[in-house]
Amino acid sequence: MTELDRTHVLELLTDMLRVRRFEEACVELYSAAKIRGFMHLYIGEEAVAAGALRALEPEDAIVATYREHGHALLRGVPAASVMAEMFGVVEGCSRGRGGSMHLFDAATRFYGGNAIVAGGLPVAVGLALADQMSGREHVTACFFGDGAVAEGEFHECMNLAALWQLPVLFCCENNLYAMGTALDRSESQTDLALKAAGYEMTAWAVDGMDVLAVESAMTHAVDAVRNGGGPCFLEFRTYRFRAHSMYDPELYRGKDEVAAWKEHDPIAALQARATEEGVVSQADVEDIERTIADEIASAIAFAEAGHLEPVEDLTRFVYSEAVAR
Amino acid sequence: MTELDRTHVLELLTDMLRVRRFEEACVELYSAAKIRGFMHLYIGEEAVAAGALRALEPEDAIVATYREHGHALLRGVPAASVMAEMFGVVEGCSRGRGGSMHLFDAATRFYGGNAIVAGGLPVAVGLALADQMSGREHVTACFFGDGAVAEGEFHECMNLAALWQLPVLFCCENNLYAMGTALDRSESQTDLALKAAGYEMTAWAVDGMDVLAVESAMTHAVDAVRNGGGPCFLEFRTYRFRAHSMYDPELYRGKDEVAAWKEHDPIAALQARATEEGVVSQADVEDIERTIADEIASAIAFAEAGHLEPVEDLTRFVYSEAVAR
Amino acid sequence: MTATVPALDAGITTMTYRDALREAMRDALRADERVFLMGEDVGRYGGCFAVSKGLLDEFGPERIRDTPLSESGFVGAGIGAAIGGMRPIVEIMTVNFSLLALDQIMNNAATLLHMSGGQCNVPLVIRMTTGAGRQLAAQHSHSLEGWYAHIPGLKILAPATVDDARGMLQPALDDPDPVLIFEHGSLYGMDGELTDSWSSCSISGAAVRRAGTDVTLVTYGGTLPKTLDAAGVLADEGVSAEVIDLRSLRPLDDRTILESVARTHRVVIVDEGWRSGSLSAEVSARIMEQAFWELDAPVTRVCSAEVPMPYAQHLEQAALPQVDRIVDAARDVLKGDG
Amino acid sequence: MTATVPALDAGITTMTYRDALREAMRDALRADERVFLMGEDVGRYGGCFAVSKGLLDEFGPERIRDTPLSESGFVGAGIGAAIGGMRPIVEIMTVNFSLLALDQIMNNAATLLHMSGGQCNVPLVIRMTTGAGRQLAAQHSHSLEGWYAHIPGLKILAPATVDDARGMLQPALDDPDPVLIFEHGSLYGMDGELTDSWSSCSISGAAVRRAGTDVTLVTYGGTLPKTLDAAGVLADEGVSAEVIDLRSLRPLDDRTILESVARTHRVVIVDEGWRSGSLSAEVSARIMEQAFWELDAPVTRVCSAEVPMPYAQHLEQAALPQVDRIVDAARDVLKGDG
Ligand SMILES: Cc1ncc(C[n+]2csc(CCOP(=O)(O)OP(=O)(O)O)c2C)c(N)n1
Ligand SMILES: Cc1ncc(C[n+]2csc(CCOP(=O)(O)OP(=O)(O)O)c2C)c(N)n1
Ligand SMILES: [Mg+2]
Ligand SMILES: [Mg+2]
């Protein structure tokens, strides 16, 4: 195991803690009915987005799912505009029309926020096709869950990407469950990286609870894809600590199982190792927590101060405004 | 190579020749505009249906595609009612409502005749599920082409069948083209048996131009499936001698390629070997041809003498007649 | 073929729409071993909307069958299983995802009987949640039952009362052809009276939920409660509104509608679907064709705004049919003698 | 916004509808390198209906891109490519197979712009063949363009003349939002005059294809030739029928329809879709709402029988709108003063 670099560790801890604390705040705001609709927490899986997004360049594209708070924040979408989006105000990153499941930010090429399982994969394939046809050396990273692997669209997109050697990086967040359905009740082949390799593309599995492992795997994959090596598939083995959504009674898994996984909390793990190696102190973490607390407090204040889009504008953005309707 | 059995060879030759001559007659009738719509010929691929269907029992189920004349005939649907169907008369096996692409015969559990590529697979999976849940030791054989492998439904069905260990036998008729699209322009992994094995089911490839090879592979697979071994996948490597349908200018493949494959005509091949080994004589074949010619002649006569369903009955069979509309 | 309105003296119990749906499935599963429930998270999770909660324990994983996320695959498997002699109840989590299975529903379930010349009927029941109103945004708020009502070979039901939630499943299972049942998400928690009449539930007719003489309000599913409220508001203004619950969207019960038009001569159709091309258009066109000379004012429609459903609550509510819009529309047709 | 009817003095060339579609694609491919054509067998096969025949040789396999049989995958890829800056023309072989891509069309193409608060427009063109009449039976004969016209966020075109086949593609490509073009299979071989007006083709309005004063016949796509023939038959009887070609199914050009109703006071709508829930219902409902007091008779519809299309020629023809049925319907509304 290589030695840890202090600044690097502090950045990774900050990234993961930002997501964790942001979502913990969301839970309270959901109970307070400030946030509504479906909300899916990433708590426990932060190492995946934190490690993966660092390997991407600003000109690369990202397609994510409804469990995308972390991806949006770490892509650089301001916490304030993400929070405003969940409050349904016009200051939100999707003007309050998308909500938690549909965070968008064209400026950072963050293409959502897609709530149809596997529905984002064809779009990612198309973004990569556009880059390939235009001779741009960009990478499109497409995040989706283990449940998406059973969908026909997964199959069609894996084949298209491999057949056309498209610069797309499939990032499967395998948290072992699709809502209440365990992977082995969903897939005849539960080794998803092996399954992906069957499409003739490079694929491997990574410990999704180890942010450093995620980052290095992702860095290799991004380089390969960017250098014209065709698509890549990474299976990040991770676990969701919270319920699937705010309505899930969690009848399908035992508290012990959850507790066992919490032993591998990606944030605690990195912090422990870093403290042990003496590169990070308790004080460092407290600084980080304080900064994050401030960021979140002002994000909430921003959202609270937000404005509701005028009802007269209801049918805006059904069609582009350039052309007269 | 085991010795040939005379009766066995005569039966196989008869089966393949029946399909070949029947379709040759269809071509003339199509030019004469007696048969209309889309018509897809099986000429060149007869060894697959001939070898495969012999391995099935009467209580087994079959789901086929729009290229199913041979499967219907060899399943025991009378040539007369198949021909009548293509003439669009009420004496047809689907009362003239289905045509060439939709031959059905519930009596022999022949469930079509499906013209949406890969659309028959879910139905086959369901038929097998019904048998499994009812404790019936039946096998459902599902025929489809190489092009179907790219469809999402293929993926979903392979997984469901393997996951639930259903008694379904996937019979992929790989004739190397989906209309004008060659397999290697359609699949990143062109070894379809290997691809199928990725779903954790037994899968292997067979020379689809060798009726004996098809029959023995199919016999093994049917036994395995019937004995509760779960689903099986067989890739029959074959070739279509004629155009995709009656409208295909065949711009996508060379005459030489077609000619090369015709060297492996499954009928000529078996006849040659059988004559060589002296188990079948020219006279035998002439007898067979005569019987078949008679059968086809009377099938055409039957179809010619058929009746058009009264126009008043147009909306029959939209709903079952048992319940009052 | 108007379904009888529950007799007032009928024995009364109260239960939620959700519980009524569950009890109906429980009865069917007990009565016929060919019946099974299949869909995403119907078992161990307890059903996305808790409709099938508890059934796994009673009937086991074979008959309360969790499926992978493969809508086309397991809906098609339901079709095959039905042809193979079973009586499947396939649950598609929501209508939004049913698009992924539409090829199987249209080109197989609805078509096999005719295409086979009468040989292959498909005794399949498909249940799914429909509708908006819970801030689930653009990909989770469709009302597409009107689309399904366009497909020959299908029967389409929209239970809007606890009686219908309790009673429609069995006749749907007894039907030899595919029946789709649309459950509006906003109704699951609705408490209602279960009357004795549920057990004699018909799935072929509309029901007059409130009798009236001045104007006919035609609706179904999730907008029935809003429409009944509107009728109440109108009553306070001295306007007697008749409320028709279509119940069956295919076939449509023209007679019940036309008889009402003959009484009131004025019609407002309430439909949560996007206005253009919604079921409300078909109802309006049929009244045009069969009762034009009865009308004292043009038939009008209260539908959803033609916009992908926004997340923000005030925008979503503005997009959906509401009591005040229904009342206003009724007032307009009443002064609509031009 | 009525599209101008070709001036009679315009320079005339004759070509088939198929060739007009091909020339339109050739121009677009030459003019803008962001444009490419993607679909099943568009390249080496030459196009299922020979529309793209020859384009592969001129533009190569990158821009005339054969796809695997993966409707959802390549339609979605077209959406992504459009967002990524390309101007894809995606060909779905026929509308029957478009059901497999409907989730991508509805939940992504039509929805992304709104769901993203105006950030992600999708400049995509999707072409597909629609309709029946060639004995292709139940799974290959759908007319579902009315369904697509129900979806906010899409624009739906139905070229029915050689001018429109030649002219509609470029404005569709210039549109920042998804445009679907439905080509009726029976029109490909149709020979017609290409007038100079094609180059100024508008995609937002309906066209009066024949002026008349006694009755308005509203139609689009594959039934336009039949409707014009019916107008001819009626003319021989001294009945002056006006024929409106909708051209754009979403948005609908109400004004052109209403202006005609104000002239004729009588309407027959001809639509190859299954009657219940077809686009004809929406047109009828709009006339009800906006021109009720103008009508001298109820609006009637000539549609397809509600049956999966049978293979047998006599049954298929009986199921489809025909000249005689259109003429009869017109006669009925003319004596329809009740
Ligand atoms: C096509 C489709 N089917 C069903 C759903 C309902 N649904 C939302 S999330 C989900 C589970 C997805 O699991 P997975 O892909 O593993 O992602 P995770 O939630 O575990 O991150 C389901 C079934 C949906 N949104 N889309
Ligand atoms: C879903 C779907 N897409 C496209 C078509 C049009 N089509 C009919 S046959 C065919 C080729 C199928 O090739 P394959 O599966 O290899 O079978 P083959 O014709 O070679 O026997 C295509 C594209 C269709 N019928 N269904
Ligand atoms: Mg998961
Ligand atoms: Mg093939």
Side-chain angles (χ1 to χ4, degrees):
Chain A
M1 209 160 0
T2 55
E3 272 187 15
L4 295 181
D5 168 73
R6 174 176 162 78
T7 24
H8 185 204
V9 172
L10 289 177
E11 284 172 17
L12 290 170
L13 276 176
T14 308
D15 285 353
M16 293 192 287
L17 279 165
R18 276 185 75 222
V19 177
R20 176 75 53 99
R21 300 297 174 237
F22 182 89
E23 288 197 324
E24 285 166 350
C26 289
V27 175
E28 287 172 32
L29 293 161
Y30 196 93
S31 323
K34 298 281 187 177
I35 300 174
R36 310 288 294 269
F38 284 156
M39 183 170 81
H40 307 83
L41 301 178
Y42 199 55
I43 291 174
E45 308 184 35
E46 296 92 342
V48 177
L53 268 65
R54 289 175 64 88
L56 295 172
E57 299 298 331
E59 66 270 20
D60 294 333
I62 295 171
V63 175
T65 71
Y66 47 84
R67 196 181 298 285
E68 88 285 30
H69 303 151
H71 309 74
L73 289 172
L74 299 180
R75 182 57 175 179
V77 187
S81 67
V82 173
M83 189 60 81
E85 184 58 33
M86 302 213 266
F87 272 55
V89 292
V90 71
E91 290 80 1
C93 58
S94 303
R95 300 184 64 99
R97 289 168 188 265
S100 164
M101 299 199 290
H102 303 301
L103 304 173
F104 280 83
D105 182 38
T108 58
R109 301 200 74 205
F110 188 77
Y111 297 116
N114 297 277
I116 301 296
V117 170
L121 276 74
V123 175
V125 164
L127 285 163
L129 176 62
D131 285 332
Q132 184 190 60
M133 291 182 82
S134 323
R136 296 184 295 248
E137 287 186 343
H138 300 171
V139 173
T140 296
C142 181
F143 292 84
F144 54 90
D146 48 290
V149 173
E151 292 282 2
E153 281 180 329
F154 168 84
H155 174 72
E156 296 185 1
C157 292
M158 293 291 285
N159 182 50
L160 281 175
L163 185 68
W164 294 344
Q165 288 295 291
L166 300 176
V168 57
L169 178 40
F170 295 100
C171 303
C172 180
E173 301 178 309
N174 178 6
N175 59 12
L176 299 175
Y177 290 90
M179 279 183 72
T181 304
L183 184 60
D184 61 6
R185 285 194 291 262
S186 173
E187 290 294 325
S188 60
Q189 168 55 272
T190 54
D191 184 334
L192 302 182
L194 183 62
K195 187 173 189 106
Y199 292 89
E200 297 285 280
M201 75 173 73
T202 314
W204 69 97
V206 185
D207 177 357
M209 305 305 268
D210 177 347
V211 65
L212 295 161
V214 170
E215 185 181 17
S216 74
M218 189 76 177
T219 307
H220 284 96
V222 168
D223 290 349
V225 173
R226 196 184 307 283
N227 299 329
C232 237
F233 178 99
L234 289 180
E235 175 194 351
F236 298 110
R237 299 197 172 149
T238 180
Y239 197 79
R240 142 168 82 68
F241 290 174
R242 302 292 185 100
H244 165 74
S245 73
M246 308 309 286
Y247 300 110
D248 169 11
E250 290 189 79
L251 306 170
Y252 49 84
R253 62 182 189 182
K255 299 222 172 326
D256 46 346
E257 178 185 308
V258 180
W261 273 94
K262 283 187 174 166
E263 294 300 313
H264 304 285
D265 185 314
I267 301 176
L270 179 63
Q271 189 179 338
R273 186 179 155 202
T275 329
E276 200 172 282
E277 293 190 25
V279 287
V280 166
S281 72
Q282 188 55 33
D284 294 322
V285 178
E286 280 157 17
D287 287 345
I288 295 174
E289 293 277 17
R290 226 173 290 106
T291 326
I292 293 174
D294 295 346
E295 182 192 17
I296 292 172
S298 52
I300 296 174
F302 177 83
E304 293 278 9
H307 305 80
L308 297 180
E309 183 141 23
V311 169
E312 308 78 71
D313 291 355
L314 171 62
T315 56
R316 279 186 69 186
F317 313 121
V318 177
Y319 296 96
S320 295
E321 310 206 325
V323 288
R325 297 255 30 79
Chain B
M1 199 145 30
T2 55
E3 271 190 13
L4 295 181
D5 167 73
R6 174 176 162 78
T7 22
H8 186 202
V9 172
L10 289 176
E11 284 172 17
L12 290 171
L13 275 177
T14 308
D15 286 351
M16 293 192 287
L17 278 165
R18 275 184 75 222
V19 178
R20 176 76 54 98
R21 302 297 175 236
F22 181 89
E23 288 197 324
E24 285 167 349
C26 290
V27 175
E28 286 172 31
L29 294 161
Y30 197 92
S31 324
K34 299 282 190 178
I35 301 175
R36 310 289 294 269
F38 284 155
M39 183 171 81
H40 308 83
L41 302 177
Y42 200 55
I43 291 176
E45 308 184 35
E46 296 92 343
V48 177
L53 268 65
R54 291 175 62 89
L56 296 172
E57 300 298 331
E59 66 273 16
D60 294 333
I62 295 172
V63 175
T65 72
Y66 46 85
R67 197 180 298 285
E68 87 286 29
H69 304 151
H71 310 74
L73 289 172
L74 300 180
R75 182 57 175 179
V77 187
S81 67
V82 173
M83 188 60 81
E85 185 57 35
M86 301 214 267
F87 273 56
V89 292
V90 72
E91 290 80 2
C93 58
S94 304
R95 300 183 64 98
R97 289 170 187 264
S100 163
M101 300 199 290
H102 304 300
L103 304 174
F104 279 84
D105 183 38
T108 59
R109 301 200 74 206
F110 188 78
Y111 296 116
N114 296 277
I116 301 296
V117 170
L121 276 74
V123 175
V125 164
L127 286 163
L129 176 62
D131 286 331
Q132 184 190 60
M133 291 182 81
S134 323
R136 296 184 296 247
E137 288 186 342
H138 300 170
V139 174
T140 296
C142 181
F143 293 84
F144 55 90
D146 48 291
V149 173
E151 291 282 3
E153 282 180 328
F154 167 83
H155 175 70
E156 296 184 0
C157 292
M158 293 291 284
N159 182 51
L160 281 175
L163 185 69
W164 293 344
Q165 289 294 293
L166 300 176
V168 57
L169 178 39
F170 296 100
C171 303
C172 180
E173 300 178 309
N174 178 6
N175 60 13
L176 298 176
Y177 289 90
M179 280 184 70
T181 304
L183 184 61
D184 62 5
R185 284 194 290 263
S186 172
E187 289 295 324
S188 59
Q189 168 56 272
T190 54
D191 184 333
L192 302 182
L194 183 63
K195 188 174 189 105
Y199 292 89
E200 297 285 280
M201 74 173 74
T202 313
W204 69 96
V206 186
D207 177 357
M209 304 306 267
D210 177 347
V211 65
L212 294 162
V214 171
E215 185 182 16
S216 74
M218 189 74 178
T219 307
H220 285 95
V222 169
D223 290 349
V225 173
R226 197 183 307 282
N227 300 329
C232 238
F233 178 99
L234 290 178
E235 174 193 351
F236 298 110
R237 299 198 172 148
T238 181
Y239 197 80
R240 147 168 78 67
F241 290 175
R242 301 293 184 101
H244 165 74
S245 73
M246 308 309 285
Y247 299 110
D248 168 11
E250 289 188 83
L251 306 170
Y252 49 84
R253 62 182 188 182
K255 298 220 171 331
D256 45 349
E257 177 185 308
V258 180
W261 273 94
K262 283 186 172 165
E263 293 301 312
H264 305 285
D265 185 316
I267 300 176
L270 178 63
Q271 189 179 339
R273 185 180 155 199
T275 328
E276 202 172 282
E277 293 189 25
V279 287
V280 166
S281 73
Q282 187 56 33
D284 294 322
V285 178
E286 281 157 15
D287 287 345
I288 295 173
E289 292 277 18
R290 227 174 288 107
T291 325
I292 293 173
D294 294 347
E295 183 192 16
I296 292 171
S298 51
I300 297 173
F302 177 82
E304 292 277 9
H307 305 79
L308 297 181
E309 183 141 21
V311 169
E312 309 77 70
D313 292 353
L314 171 62
T315 55
R316 279 185 69 187
F317 313 120
V318 177
Y319 296 96
S320 296
E321 310 207 323
V323 289
R325 295 258 35 77
Chain C
M1 43 183 214
T2 306
T4 45
V5 190
L8 289 179
D9 57 335
I12 305 283
T13 15
T14 307
M15 63 167 68
T16 63
Y17 182 91
R18 172 185 288 108
D19 293 341
L21 291 166
R22 184 186 309 113
E23 289 316 301
M25 287 198 283
R26 194 190 305 276
D27 283 351
L29 285 155
R30 285 180 179 167
D32 184 348
E33 62 186 11
R34 298 172 308 167
V35 173
F36 68 102
L37 173 67
M38 165 164 70
E40 292 161 4
D41 291 306
V42 294
R44 290 153 185 95
Y45 189 92
C48 178
F49 300 101
V51 173
S52 54
K53 195 166 182 175
L55 296 181
L56 176 66
D57 301 336
E58 180 171 354
F59 302 102
E62 282 276 305
R63 297 182 68 198
I64 307 299
R65 185 175 288 262
D66 284 321
T67 66
L69 280 136
S70 304
E71 286 77 6
S72 195
F74 69 75
V75 169
I79 295 167
I83 295 171
M86 304 298 284
R87 290 293 177 272
I89 302 170
V90 172
E91 175 178 310
I92 300 178
M93 207 176 262
T94 76
V95 68
N96 311 285
F97 320 137
S98 73
L99 297 177
L100 292 163
L102 192 44
D103 167 65
Q104 285 297 317
I105 296 171
M106 167 87 102
N107 286 318
N108 284 345
T111 305
L112 280 163
L113 178 66
H114 186 266
M115 202 161 68
S116 65
Q119 295 179 80
C120 294
N121 66 302
V122 181
L124 169 69
V125 170
I126 300 177
R127 296 173 41 243
M128 63 184 99
T129 303
T130 188
R134 292 158 298 140
Q135 287 190 256
L136 303 185
Q139 294 180 331
H140 280 65
S141 303
H142 300 310
S143 286
L144 297 174
E145 48 278 6
W147 269 11
Y148 287 95
H150 178 56
I151 306 176
L154 301 183
K155 292 180 187 167
I156 309 299
L157 305 178
T161 65
V162 168
D163 272 342
D164 280 347
R166 184 72 176 85
M168 280 181 163
L169 181 64
Q170 193 54 55
L173 282 166
D174 296 338
D175 197 286
D177 301 314
V179 179
L180 275 58
I181 301 178
F182 288 87
E183 305 162 359
H184 196 287
S186 68
L187 297 177
Y188 286 126
M190 176 182 73
D191 256 308
E193 289 173 351
L194 183 68
T195 71
D196 293 346
S197 67
W198 74 264
S199 52
S200 57
C201 181
S202 145
I203 57 171
S204 57
V208 175
R209 296 297 182 195
R210 175 183 178 128
T213 52
D214 300 334
V215 58
T216 300
L217 309 179
V218 180
T219 191
Y220 67 90
T223 42
L224 177 61
K226 292 174 178 177
T227 306
L228 286 168
D229 291 349
V233 174
L234 289 164
D236 301 341
E237 301 177 2
V239 174
S240 164
E242 180 150 289
V243 176
I244 293 180
D245 171 6
L246 292 172
R247 302 181 69 251
S248 166
L249 310 187
R250 182 179 188 94
L252 280 171
D253 175 6
D254 291 356
R255 219 186 78 203
T256 300
I257 298 169
L258 298 174
E259 285 170 355
S260 181
V261 175
R263 278 190 291 277
T264 65
H265 312 290
R266 290 173 159 80
V267 185
V268 175
I269 307 163
V270 183
D271 185 342
E272 195 178 297
W274 289 310
R275 182 187 186 89
S276 296
S278 61
L279 187 72
S280 66
E282 178 62 26
V283 174
S284 176
R286 290 187 182 204
I287 294 170
M288 164 78 86
E289 287 154 357
Q290 303 174 66
F292 179 75
W293 304 108
E294 286 284 350
L295 293 172
D296 289 342
V299 173
T300 63
R301 300 181 283 166
V302 178
C303 302
S304 285
E306 306 205 23
V307 55
M309 203 53 68
Y311 162 73
Q313 188 172 29
H314 67 297
L315 293 179
E316 179 178 40
Q317 290 305 315
L320 295 170
Q322 303 295 356
V323 173
D324 56 351
R325 284 176 54 208
I326 300 169
V327 170
D328 292 344
R331 290 197 194 109
D332 290 346
V333 294
L334 280 158
K335 53 172 135 64
D337 307 48
Chain D
M1 46 182 210
T2 308
T4 47
V5 191
L8 289 178
D9 57 335
I12 305 285
T13 17
T14 308
M15 64 166 68
T16 63
Y17 181 91
R18 173 185 288 107
D19 294 342
L21 291 166
R22 184 186 309 112
E23 289 316 302
M25 287 198 283
R26 195 190 305 275
D27 283 352
L29 286 154
R30 284 180 179 167
D32 184 347
E33 62 185 12
R34 298 171 307 166
V35 173
F36 68 101
L37 173 68
M38 167 164 68
E40 292 161 3
D41 290 305
V42 295
R44 291 155 183 93
Y45 189 93
C48 179
F49 299 101
V51 173
S52 55
K53 195 166 183 177
L55 296 181
L56 175 66
D57 301 336
E58 181 172 353
F59 302 101
E62 283 274 305
R63 297 183 67 198
I64 307 299
R65 185 175 288 259
D66 283 322
T67 66
L69 275 90
S70 304
E71 285 78 8
S72 195
F74 69 76
V75 168
I79 294 166
I83 295 170
M86 303 298 285
R87 289 294 177 271
I89 303 171
V90 172
E91 176 179 309
I92 300 177
M93 205 176 263
T94 76
V95 68
N96 312 284
F97 319 138
S98 73
L99 297 178
L100 293 162
L102 192 44
D103 167 65
Q104 285 297 315
I105 296 171
M106 166 88 101
N107 286 318
N108 284 344
T111 305
L112 280 164
L113 178 67
H114 186 265
M115 201 161 68
S116 65
Q119 296 180 79
C120 294
N121 65 304
V122 182
L124 169 69
V125 171
I126 300 177
R127 295 174 39 242
M128 62 184 100
T129 304
T130 188
R134 292 158 296 143
Q135 288 192 255
L136 303 185
Q139 294 179 331
H140 279 64
S141 302
H142 300 308
S143 286
L144 298 174
E145 47 279 5
W147 268 10
Y148 287 95
H150 179 57
I151 306 176
L154 301 183
K155 292 179 187 168
I156 310 299
L157 304 178
T161 65
V162 169
D163 272 343
D164 280 347
R166 184 71 175 87
M168 280 181 164
L169 181 64
Q170 193 54 55
L173 283 166
D174 295 338
D175 196 286
D177 300 314
V179 179
L180 274 59
I181 302 178
F182 288 86
E183 306 162 358
H184 196 287
S186 68
L187 296 176
Y188 286 126
M190 174 183 74
D191 255 310
E193 288 175 351
L194 182 70
T195 71
D196 294 345
S197 67
W198 74 263
S199 52
S200 58
C201 181
S202 144
I203 56 170
S204 57
V208 176
R209 296 298 182 194
R210 175 183 179 125
T213 52
D214 300 335
V215 59
T216 300
L217 309 180
V218 180
T219 191
Y220 68 89
T223 42
L224 177 62
K226 292 175 177 178
T227 306
L228 286 168
D229 291 350
V233 174
L234 290 164
D236 300 342
E237 301 178 2
V239 174
S240 164
E242 180 149 292
V243 177
I244 293 180
D245 172 6
L246 292 172
R247 300 181 69 251
S248 166
L249 310 187
R250 183 180 188 92
L252 280 171
D253 175 6
D254 291 356
R255 221 186 79 204
T256 300
I257 298 170
L258 298 174
E259 284 170 357
S260 182
V261 175
R263 278 191 292 276
T264 65
H265 313 291
R266 291 175 160 79
V267 185
V268 175
I269 307 163
V270 183
D271 184 342
E272 194 178 295
W274 290 309
R275 182 187 187 90
S276 297
S278 61
L279 187 72
S280 66
E282 178 61 27
V283 175
S284 176
R286 290 187 182 204
I287 294 171
M288 164 79 86
E289 286 153 0
Q290 303 174 67
F292 179 75
W293 304 107
E294 286 285 350
L295 293 172
D296 289 342
V299 173
T300 63
R301 301 180 284 168
V302 177
C303 303
S304 284
E306 306 205 22
V307 56
M309 203 54 68
Y311 161 74
Q313 188 172 30
H314 67 298
L315 294 179
E316 180 179 39
Q317 291 305 315
L320 295 170
Q322 303 294 357
V323 174
D324 57 352
R325 283 176 53 210
I326 301 169
V327 170
D328 291 345
R331 290 199 194 108
D332 290 345
V333 296
L334 280 158
K335 55 172 132 66
D337 307 46

